[in-house]
Amino acid sequence: MMDGFNKLIEDLKSDLGEGFVANDIWHAKDAQSLAGYNSQPKAVALFNEVTRLLDKTMKGAEFPGLGDYYIVHLENDLLVVIAIAGEYQNGMLVDLSKTTMGILMSVALPNLLQNLQEATS
């Protein structure tokens, strides 16, 4: 599994270049980073809870549950992308001043989702 996580991180570095700021992969049960790049342990714990509450809220509103990912747009042209594969999550911080939304959505995100699914199955 760790080889898959390391490949995922290396692919993100390659796809996003300088726009790749930070990344963590964790299991939802304990919210402890299993692999990362510029790891953010506090963010892991907090986004684990955000994912749980967001999914609960969506279902409570009779919306479908969360899909494979969600994106949070931050100040200073930064994005948080949380990808979900079963009980595993990947949180990454992207600087859009150093990469494009096109690269993120058309190249990096599809690769991330595939790599995360492969690494956790």
Side-chain angles (χ1 to χ4, degrees):
M1 186 175 285
M2 292 308 293
D3 287 341
F5 290 161
N6 290 330
K7 178 189 182 314
L8 181 155
I9 292 168
E10 290 305 314
D11 285 354
L12 286 171
K13 285 181 190 176
S14 176
D15 291 343
L16 295 169
E18 291 182 19
F20 185 55
V21 178
N23 194 83
D24 281 286
I25 304 165
W26 68 91
H27 191 279
K29 181 179 177 180
D30 62 8
Q32 298 293 310
S33 184
L34 301 170
Y37 172 75
N38 292 332
S39 285
Q40 305 290 315
K42 289 181 184 178
V44 168
L46 292 170
F47 275 106
N48 191 63
E49 186 66 7
V50 167
T51 301
R52 188 187 69 74
L53 290 173
L54 185 56
D55 191 53
K56 180 180 175 183
T57 300
M58 299 300 282
K59 289 176 180 174
E62 298 182 5
F63 280 46
L66 289 176
D68 296 334
Y69 67 92
Y70 64 94
I71 298 174
V72 179
H73 188 206
L74 306 175
E75 296 176 344
N76 301 325
D77 233 3
L78 296 172
L79 289 178
V80 171
V81 180
I82 304 294
I84 305 163
E87 292 295 312
Y88 291 88
Q89 296 180 48
N90 181 93
M92 94 174 131
L93 183 61
V94 178
D95 186 341
L96 286 179
S97 72
K98 297 180 180 177
T99 191
T100 66
M101 186 64 98
I103 292 293
L104 175 64
M105 298 304 291
S106 298
V107 178
L109 186 57
N111 287 342
L112 166 62
L113 294 172
Q114 180 179 346
N115 288 339
L116 186 59
Q117 188 64 41
E118 288 173 3
T120 60
S121 56

